[in-house]
Structures are given as C-alpha cells and as structure tokens.
C-alpha cells in the first residue's frame, strides 16, 4: 500500500505543484484556454488552469522522480525496491536479488536525464487529466473551484498512470508494468486511497491559506 503511494509520488507532487508555484509567481496567470469561452457561454477550461501550473507540475514531477531514483539503492522491504525509477549504482539488490531487471540496471545505471523526463511526463499528464476534467466541469456549468466528487480526486490518477505508460520507454525495460501490475494492491490503493488523501491534503492547504476552498 505504501509502495503504491511511493511509486506515484511524482504525480501527487505535480498535482499539488500549481498551488505552490502560484504563490511563487502570483503575476504569471496566463490561462491555458487563453480566456476563450465555449458555445455554452462558459470558459473552455477556466482561469484556474494556467501554463504556470503545467510548468510547475512537470518540473516538480521530474525532480521527485530523480529523488526516488536516488534513494532507491537503500530499499525498504515492501516500499522501496533497489531499482525504483531505474537508478541503482551500488544497489543492495545486487547480490541477494536474482531479479533480472535489477541486475541489468546494476550493470548499466540509468541516465538521470531520462529519469527526470519520465517524472516530468508523468507530472505533465497528471495535470492534463486535471484540465480535461475542468473542460467537462465547465460544460456542466460548474464554476472553477466548485467540487465535483470523485472526478476532482481521480482525474490526475488516471492520466498520471497513462503518463507512466507513455513514458515507460524512458525507464529500464519492464519497470513500469512490473511496478504497477505485479501486485493488484498498487492500483487498488491508488484508486481507493487517493480520494481520501486528496480531501485531507486540500483541507490542510485551505487551513494553511494555500487554497481558496477546502476541497
Ligand atoms: N492551478 C494552476 N494551473 C493548473 C492547475 C491549477 O494555476 N494547471 C492553480 C490555480 O490557481 C487553481 C488552483 O491551482 O485555482 C487549484 O487547482 P484546481 O483545484 O485544480 O482548480 P480549480 O480552480 O478548482 O478549477 P476546477 O474547478 O476547474 O478544478
Ligand atoms: Mg478544484
């Protein structure tokens, strides 16, 4: 269960990034929809979907992926594996583990730029999911910031996973499918626990004055 949250950390981070980067660059508010309005009179995506958010999400996603790869050589059973995100220079998985992919990674440490790019694609896709959801939200006449359960909570999970699949050639062959599919608990955790965590984290963000609404 913890492993699922760990693997998916770049997408979680990316989904939170817009709120933080909004504090750092309050003036950079160019919306992705360029202010355009649909035939229904509502904004295409809304003022809450900015380029700033996408840039922040991709950068943070990439950085978190690198972070995961860097601590991978010190695995915690059931959470971290010796070759998570592909970088395992002196991995303890070396002698003990007979894992073929682990062994391969050991012989050829994975290039950090590829790991960063993987996390960036994952983060970017997480926010594409967020924007796609906003598109449908606007078509339903819901204003920016209005709650829409469970889509507000799961938009970035579906697209973050899609991002992992799209970007999987950037990591050692087989890692993405192994990480996501070897144990059904991983996907189940992402879909069941994420909405709960999302609600908790947003409530916290609201208390801290980072978010305008508590959901
Ligand atoms: N945000 C951003 N760029 C994005 C996504 C989010 O700048 N691509 C910022 C906005 O300031 C936004 C806040 O993060 O108000 C919270 O994001 P979110 O809840 O996803 O947006 P909402 O404003 O609630 O809009 P929607 O109803 O479309 O979800
Ligand atoms: Mg919202």
């Amino acid at each position: 269960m913890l492993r699922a949250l760990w693997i998916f950390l770049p997408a979680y981070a990316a989904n939170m990034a817009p709120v933080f980067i909004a504090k750092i660059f309050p003036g950079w508010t160019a919306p992705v929809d360029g202010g355009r309005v649909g035939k229904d009179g509502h904004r295409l995506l809304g003022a809450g979907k900015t380029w700033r958010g996408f840039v922040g999400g991709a950068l943070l996603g990439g950085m978190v992926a690198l972070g995961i790869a860097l601590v991978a050589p010190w695995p915690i059973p059931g959470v971290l594996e010796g070759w998570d995100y592909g970088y395992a220079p002196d991995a303890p998985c070396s002698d003990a583990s007979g894992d073929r992919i682990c062994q391969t990674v050991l012989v050829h440490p994975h290039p950090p730029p590829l790991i960063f790019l993987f996390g960036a694609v994952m983060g970017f896709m997480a926010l594409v999911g967020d924007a796609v959801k906003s598109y449908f939200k606007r078509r339903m006449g819901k204003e920016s910031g209005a709650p829409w359960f469970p889509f507000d909570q799961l938009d970035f999970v579906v697209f973050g996973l899609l991002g992992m699949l799209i970007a999987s050639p950037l990591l050692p062959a087989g890692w993405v499918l192994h990480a996501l599919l070897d144990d059904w608990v991983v996907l189940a955790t992402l879909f069941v626990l994420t909405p709960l965590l999302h609600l908790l984290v947003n409530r916290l963000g609201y208390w801290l004055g980072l978010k305008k609404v508590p959901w």
Side-chain angles (χ1 to χ4, degrees):
M1 221 164 74
L2 279 176
R3 173 152 178 80
L5 305 181
W6 178 249
I7 290 173
F8 209 56
L9 208 55
Y12 286 125
N15 198 48
M16 287 188 248
V19 177
F20 291 107
I21 197 171
K23 291 279 161 194
I24 303 173
F25 300 107
W28 183 20
T29 56
V32 176
D33 66 8
R36 276 188 288 275
V37 170
K39 287 197 196 80
D40 53 14
H42 293 284
R43 285 282 293 270
L44 279 183
L45 300 176
K49 302 296 118 142
T50 65
W51 290 112
R52 169 191 70 194
F54 275 90
V55 171
L59 287 179
L60 197 64
M63 288 192 289
V64 170
L66 268 185
I68 292 178
L70 285 175
V71 299
W74 296 277
I76 301 170
V79 187
L80 281 75
E81 286 182 7
W83 48 289
D84 277 342
Y85 281 75
Y87 192 64
D90 302 305
C93 72
S94 54
D95 317 318
S97 161
D99 194 309
R100 188 180 52 80
I101 303 167
C102 178
Q103 297 291 349
T104 314
V105 170
L106 226 106
V107 180
H108 309 284
H110 210 60
L114 293 187
I115 300 172
F116 180 88
L117 201 59
F118 178 87
V121 171
M122 198 174 160
F124 182 81
M125 283 302 289
L127 291 176
V128 167
D130 176 57
V132 166
K133 173 222 54 195
S134 290
Y135 177 82
F136 288 107
K137 223 166 150 179
R138 299 297 93 81
R139 302 290 74 75
M140 292 176 61
K142 290 184 190 292
E143 292 306 322
S144 287
W148 190 25
F149 184 86
F151 302 99
D152 281 327
Q153 287 72 31
L154 289 175
D155 49 14
F156 77 101
V157 176
V158 176
F159 276 72
L161 287 171
L162 205 63
M164 288 179 86
L165 292 180
I166 294 173
S168 60
L170 294 170
L171 291 188
W175 183 82
V176 168
L177 290 183
H178 157 85
L180 294 177
L181 299 181
D182 272 11
D183 188 350
W184 63 270
V185 175
V186 169
L187 287 182
T189 302
L190 290 181
F191 281 95
V192 174
L193 221 56
T194 301
L196 297 174
L197 281 173
H198 191 274
L199 292 169
L200 269 174
V201 168
N202 282 356
R203 174 89 24 152
L204 192 71
Y206 177 70
W207 275 334
L208 293 174
L210 291 168
K211 282 210 70 177
K212 290 195 208 86
V213 288
W215 43 78

